[in-house]
Structures are given as C-alpha cells and as structure tokens.
Amino acid sequence: MSFNHKNGQDSAFSFSHVGIFVKDIARMTQFYQQALQLFITDKGVIGGKDIVFLSQNPEEHHQLALVSGRPEDVTFSVINQISLRVKDLPTLRHYHTSLKAAGAERIDPSTHGNALSIYSFDPEGNRIEVFMDTEWYCDQPLKETIDFSLNDDEIMARVKEIAQASPKFMPRSEWVKQMHDLMNAQA
C-alpha cells in the first residue's frame, strides 16, 4: 500500500464525521439544524444514551452525531470519536493491524450494518473509528462486534446478516435516494 502524503491524493482514508457528547441534546440538535442546516437522518438510544445523527450530505449517513451524557463538570474528552473512512476491507484490515502494533487500547471490530468499523482509543483516551461503508442501509443506532479472524467473505456475510435483520433494511443506493428526496423537500 503506498500513500502520497504531499498532495493528499491516494489517501488511505478521508475524514467522515464527528460525535460529540452534549448536555442538552434537544437544544444542541435544534442549534445544528438551524446553524448548519443539518438534517436528522436517524436517532435512538445506544448504551443508555440518546443519540441523534445529522447530515447535510445525502451520501453521508451522518456528518455529526450528538450523544447525551456530557456531565456538568466535564472531566473527559467531549469528542465521542474521530472517524476516518477507508475504501475497502483489505485497507480496514491494514489499520486493524497497525492499531494493534501501535498499542491502541480497547480495539473493537464492529458493524453498524451500513458500515464495518474498527474502534480503538489513542493514548489519551480519545476514541478513533476507522471504517468502510457497506452496500446496505439499516436502522441506526446499531452496533455488533465482528470477529476479524474470519475471512473477508465470512465477515461480509455476517455484516449483511446483521443488517438484514433491521426492519428498514435496503440497498444503500435506495436510502441515498430517499435522503436526497427528503432533503430537497425541506430545502
């Protein structure tokens, strides 16, 4: 794998989205909808916390995730995660290996059905997600651990099985079209 770091071409990943812990999720959602014209693409509860996914781009399920639970006297990073997109499973496996080699903590290969992710933490406790999109959409939030000792075909079959269990399962292209239509209707 070769990368051209001088001009950014042929990067192995691109910046995708950020998640932020917030105190007042309703107020923050309203602010980002108004201030940045972000559209709510999904919302729900995960790990006992409310989460709202927002995007301005119908190609991106979310560009911002707001997560409840920021305490009044914040003593931890308010950044939920730093997420970087890769193009395919071999590249994701590369980062899985390099995160291990670098001593990343709490490495967690997971799927959201619409993505396959490697979560880990940097030395100061900031969560990192390196992920690839899948060709499916399913209800969010969703997170299940994936066994990275499986071969590529087995991993993708498991991811699809998890996604297909969702009531709103559909091809990603269909979900993107729906988001285009919804966002255009609100514009």
Side-chain angles (χ1 to χ4, degrees), residues 2-20:
S2 65
F3 307 110
N4 183 342
H5 296 286
K6 287 186 178 182
N7 62 15
Q9 292 178 345
D10 300 321
S11 295
F13 60 78
S14 63
F15 183 78
S16 171
H17 59 270
V18 64
I20 302 172

PDB file of all heavy atoms in Angstrom, residues 2-20:
ATOM      1  N   SER A   2       0.713   2.112  -0.972  1.00  0.00           N
ATOM      2  CA  SER A   2       1.516   3.333  -0.997  1.00  0.00           C
ATOM      3  C   SER A   2       0.599   4.538  -0.906  1.00  0.00           C
ATOM      4  O   SER A   2      -0.503   4.541  -1.442  1.00  0.00           O
ATOM      5  CB  SER A   2       2.365   3.399  -2.265  1.00  0.00           C
ATOM      6  OG  SER A   2       1.536   3.513  -3.393  1.00  0.00           O
ATOM      7  N   PHE A   3       1.076   5.559  -0.215  1.00  0.00           N
ATOM      8  CA  PHE A   3       0.279   6.755   0.000  1.00  0.00           C
ATOM      9  C   PHE A   3       1.082   7.972  -0.422  1.00  0.00           C
ATOM     10  O   PHE A   3       2.279   8.044  -0.198  1.00  0.00           O
ATOM     11  CB  PHE A   3      -0.093   6.896   1.476  1.00  0.00           C
ATOM     12  CG  PHE A   3      -0.734   5.664   2.034  1.00  0.00           C
ATOM     13  CD1 PHE A   3      -0.068   4.871   2.943  1.00  0.00           C
ATOM     14  CD2 PHE A   3      -1.998   5.285   1.640  1.00  0.00           C
ATOM     15  CE1 PHE A   3      -0.651   3.731   3.462  1.00  0.00           C
ATOM     16  CE2 PHE A   3      -2.592   4.158   2.147  1.00  0.00           C
ATOM     17  CZ  PHE A   3      -1.910   3.370   3.061  1.00  0.00           C
ATOM     18  N   ASN A   4       0.418   8.932  -1.031  1.00  0.00           N
ATOM     19  CA  ASN A   4       1.043  10.185  -1.401  1.00  0.00           C
ATOM     20  C   ASN A   4       0.596  11.228  -0.384  1.00  0.00           C
ATOM     21  O   ASN A   4      -0.489  11.775  -0.475  1.00  0.00           O
ATOM     22  CB  ASN A   4       0.614  10.584  -2.815  1.00  0.00           C
ATOM     23  CG  ASN A   4       1.294  11.844  -3.292  1.00  0.00           C
ATOM     24  OD1 ASN A   4       1.830  12.606  -2.490  1.00  0.00           O
ATOM     25  ND2 ASN A   4       1.267  12.067  -4.587  1.00  0.00           N
ATOM     26  N   HIS A   5       1.441  11.476   0.625  1.00  0.00           N
ATOM     27  CA  HIS A   5       1.079  12.384   1.702  1.00  0.00           C
ATOM     28  C   HIS A   5       1.287  13.853   1.333  1.00  0.00           C
ATOM     29  O   HIS A   5       0.774  14.722   2.004  1.00  0.00           O
ATOM     30  CB  HIS A   5       1.870  12.058   2.972  1.00  0.00           C
ATOM     31  CG  HIS A   5       1.556  10.701   3.503  1.00  0.00           C
ATOM     32  ND1 HIS A   5       0.380  10.424   4.150  1.00  0.00           N
ATOM     33  CD2 HIS A   5       2.242   9.541   3.453  1.00  0.00           C
ATOM     34  CE1 HIS A   5       0.360   9.160   4.504  1.00  0.00           C
ATOM     35  NE2 HIS A   5       1.470   8.596   4.090  1.00  0.00           N
ATOM     36  N   LYS A   6       2.019  14.157   0.274  1.00  0.00           N
ATOM     37  CA  LYS A   6       2.314  15.550  -0.069  1.00  0.00           C
ATOM     38  C   LYS A   6       1.095  16.307  -0.566  1.00  0.00           C
ATOM     39  O   LYS A   6       0.828  17.411  -0.151  1.00  0.00           O
ATOM     40  CB  LYS A   6       3.430  15.636  -1.109  1.00  0.00           C
ATOM     41  CG  LYS A   6       4.790  15.314  -0.541  1.00  0.00           C
ATOM     42  CD  LYS A   6       5.856  15.554  -1.568  1.00  0.00           C
ATOM     43  CE  LYS A   6       7.220  15.271  -0.950  1.00  0.00           C
ATOM     44  NZ  LYS A   6       8.278  15.542  -1.902  1.00  0.00           N
ATOM     45  N   ASN A   7       0.337  15.722  -1.474  1.00  0.00           N
ATOM     46  CA  ASN A   7      -0.787  16.460  -2.032  1.00  0.00           C
ATOM     47  C   ASN A   7      -2.143  15.850  -1.657  1.00  0.00           C
ATOM     48  O   ASN A   7      -3.166  16.296  -2.139  1.00  0.00           O
ATOM     49  CB  ASN A   7      -0.662  16.582  -3.556  1.00  0.00           C
ATOM     50  CG  ASN A   7      -0.677  15.237  -4.253  1.00  0.00           C
ATOM     51  OD1 ASN A   7      -1.056  14.236  -3.665  1.00  0.00           O
ATOM     52  ND2 ASN A   7      -0.261  15.214  -5.500  1.00  0.00           N
ATOM     53  N   GLY A   8      -2.154  14.850  -0.799  1.00  0.00           N
ATOM     54  CA  GLY A   8      -3.408  14.273  -0.337  1.00  0.00           C
ATOM     55  C   GLY A   8      -4.047  13.285  -1.300  1.00  0.00           C
ATOM     56  O   GLY A   8      -5.053  12.689  -0.975  1.00  0.00           O
ATOM     57  N   GLN A   9      -3.489  13.124  -2.488  1.00  0.00           N
ATOM     58  CA  GLN A   9      -4.056  12.162  -3.419  1.00  0.00           C
ATOM     59  C   GLN A   9      -3.718  10.751  -2.955  1.00  0.00           C
ATOM     60  O   GLN A   9      -2.712  10.512  -2.308  1.00  0.00           O
ATOM     61  CB  GLN A   9      -3.509  12.396  -4.824  1.00  0.00           C
ATOM     62  CG  GLN A   9      -3.989  13.705  -5.407  1.00  0.00           C
ATOM     63  CD  GLN A   9      -3.407  13.952  -6.784  1.00  0.00           C
ATOM     64  OE1 GLN A   9      -2.458  13.305  -7.199  1.00  0.00           O
ATOM     65  NE2 GLN A   9      -3.981  14.901  -7.492  1.00  0.00           N
ATOM     66  N   ASP A  10      -4.582   9.840  -3.309  1.00  0.00           N
ATOM     67  CA  ASP A  10      -4.400   8.429  -2.964  1.00  0.00           C
ATOM     68  C   ASP A  10      -4.321   8.204  -1.463  1.00  0.00           C
ATOM     69  O   ASP A  10      -3.662   7.284  -1.002  1.00  0.00           O
ATOM     70  CB  ASP A  10      -3.153   7.843  -3.651  1.00  0.00           C
ATOM     71  CG  ASP A  10      -3.240   7.932  -5.152  1.00  0.00           C
ATOM     72  OD1 ASP A  10      -4.323   7.714  -5.714  1.00  0.00           O
ATOM     73  OD2 ASP A  10      -2.212   8.258  -5.757  1.00  0.00           O
ATOM     74  N   SER A  11      -4.997   9.051  -0.665  1.00  0.00           N
ATOM     75  CA  SER A  11      -5.038   8.840   0.773  1.00  0.00           C
ATOM     76  C   SER A  11      -5.703   7.510   1.067  1.00  0.00           C
ATOM     77  O   SER A  11      -6.619   7.103   0.353  1.00  0.00           O
ATOM     78  CB  SER A  11      -5.836   9.946   1.463  1.00  0.00           C
ATOM     79  OG  SER A  11      -5.217  11.180   1.325  1.00  0.00           O
ATOM     80  N   ALA A  12      -5.289   6.876   2.125  1.00  0.00           N
ATOM     81  CA  ALA A  12      -5.899   5.615   2.517  1.00  0.00           C
ATOM     82  C   ALA A  12      -7.234   5.857   3.207  1.00  0.00           C
ATOM     83  O   ALA A  12      -8.077   4.987   3.248  1.00  0.00           O
ATOM     84  CB  ALA A  12      -4.967   4.850   3.447  1.00  0.00           C
ATOM     85  N   PHE A  13      -7.439   7.059   3.754  1.00  0.00           N
ATOM     86  CA  PHE A  13      -8.717   7.360   4.385  1.00  0.00           C
ATOM     87  C   PHE A  13      -9.058   8.828   4.208  1.00  0.00           C
ATOM     88  O   PHE A  13      -8.224   9.632   3.823  1.00  0.00           O
ATOM     89  CB  PHE A  13      -8.718   6.989   5.879  1.00  0.00           C
ATOM     90  CG  PHE A  13      -7.673   7.701   6.698  1.00  0.00           C
ATOM     91  CD1 PHE A  13      -7.849   9.018   7.099  1.00  0.00           C
ATOM     92  CD2 PHE A  13      -6.521   7.047   7.088  1.00  0.00           C
ATOM     93  CE1 PHE A  13      -6.893   9.667   7.858  1.00  0.00           C
ATOM     94  CE2 PHE A  13      -5.562   7.694   7.836  1.00  0.00           C
ATOM     95  CZ  PHE A  13      -5.746   8.999   8.222  1.00  0.00           C
ATOM     96  N   SER A  14     -10.320   9.139   4.482  1.00  0.00           N
ATOM     97  CA  SER A  14     -10.788  10.516   4.424  1.00  0.00           C
ATOM     98  C   SER A  14     -11.585  10.805   5.684  1.00  0.00           C
ATOM     99  O   SER A  14     -12.146   9.897   6.291  1.00  0.00           O
ATOM    100  CB  SER A  14     -11.669  10.733   3.191  1.00  0.00           C
ATOM    101  OG  SER A  14     -12.832   9.941   3.268  1.00  0.00           O
ATOM    102  N   PHE A  15     -11.625  12.057   6.089  1.00  0.00           N
ATOM    103  CA  PHE A  15     -12.412  12.429   7.252  1.00  0.00           C
ATOM    104  C   PHE A  15     -13.880  12.235   6.929  1.00  0.00           C
ATOM    105  O   PHE A  15     -14.331  12.565   5.842  1.00  0.00           O
ATOM    106  CB  PHE A  15     -12.143  13.881   7.637  1.00  0.00           C
ATOM    107  CG  PHE A  15     -12.874  14.278   8.876  1.00  0.00           C
ATOM    108  CD1 PHE A  15     -12.399  13.898  10.115  1.00  0.00           C
ATOM    109  CD2 PHE A  15     -14.054  14.989   8.802  1.00  0.00           C
ATOM    110  CE1 PHE A  15     -13.084  14.233  11.259  1.00  0.00           C
ATOM    111  CE2 PHE A  15     -14.747  15.325   9.941  1.00  0.00           C
ATOM    112  CZ  PHE A  15     -14.265  14.947  11.180  1.00  0.00           C
ATOM    113  N   SER A  16     -14.648  11.705   7.880  1.00  0.00           N
ATOM    114  CA  SER A  16     -16.047  11.405   7.636  1.00  0.00           C
ATOM    115  C   SER A  16     -16.982  12.160   8.568  1.00  0.00           C
ATOM    116  O   SER A  16     -17.802  12.939   8.120  1.00  0.00           O
ATOM    117  CB  SER A  16     -16.282   9.911   7.784  1.00  0.00           C
ATOM    118  OG  SER A  16     -17.662   9.626   7.751  1.00  0.00           O
ATOM    119  N   HIS A  17     -16.911  11.901   9.878  1.00  0.00           N
ATOM    120  CA  HIS A  17     -17.856  12.507  10.801  1.00  0.00           C
ATOM    121  C   HIS A  17     -17.267  12.603  12.198  1.00  0.00           C
ATOM    122  O   HIS A  17     -16.234  12.030  12.477  1.00  0.00           O
ATOM    123  CB  HIS A  17     -19.171  11.717  10.832  1.00  0.00           C
ATOM    124  CG  HIS A  17     -19.016  10.279  11.242  1.00  0.00           C
ATOM    125  ND1 HIS A  17     -18.786   9.269  10.332  1.00  0.00           N
ATOM    126  CD2 HIS A  17     -19.058   9.681  12.446  1.00  0.00           C
ATOM    127  CE1 HIS A  17     -18.713   8.113  10.962  1.00  0.00           C
ATOM    128  NE2 HIS A  17     -18.868   8.336  12.253  1.00  0.00           N
ATOM    129  N   VAL A  18     -17.954  13.357  13.041  1.00  0.00           N
ATOM    130  CA  VAL A  18     -17.522  13.506  14.423  1.00  0.00           C
ATOM    131  C   VAL A  18     -18.739  13.311  15.326  1.00  0.00           C
ATOM    132  O   VAL A  18     -19.866  13.634  14.945  1.00  0.00           O
ATOM    133  CB  VAL A  18     -16.859  14.889  14.659  1.00  0.00           C
ATOM    134  CG1 VAL A  18     -17.840  16.018  14.463  1.00  0.00           C
ATOM    135  CG2 VAL A  18     -16.198  14.974  16.018  1.00  0.00           C
ATOM    136  N   GLY A  19     -18.504  12.756  16.489  1.00  0.00           N
ATOM    137  CA  GLY A  19     -19.547  12.593  17.500  1.00  0.00           C
ATOM    138  C   GLY A  19     -19.178  13.407  18.725  1.00  0.00           C
ATOM    139  O   GLY A  19     -18.013  13.414  19.128  1.00  0.00           O
ATOM    140  N   ILE A  20     -20.146  14.081  19.301  1.00  0.00           N
ATOM    141  CA  ILE A  20     -19.882  14.975  20.429  1.00  0.00           C
ATOM    142  C   ILE A  20     -20.827  14.641  21.580  1.00  0.00           C
ATOM    143  O   ILE A  20     -22.042  14.544  21.385  1.00  0.00           O
ATOM    144  CB  ILE A  20     -20.100  16.446  20.016  1.00  0.00           C
ATOM    145  CG1 ILE A  20     -19.218  16.817  18.840  1.00  0.00           C
ATOM    146  CG2 ILE A  20     -19.838  17.381  21.199  1.00  0.00           C
ATOM    147  CD1 ILE A  20     -19.533  18.184  18.259  1.00  0.00           C
TER     148      ILE A  20
END
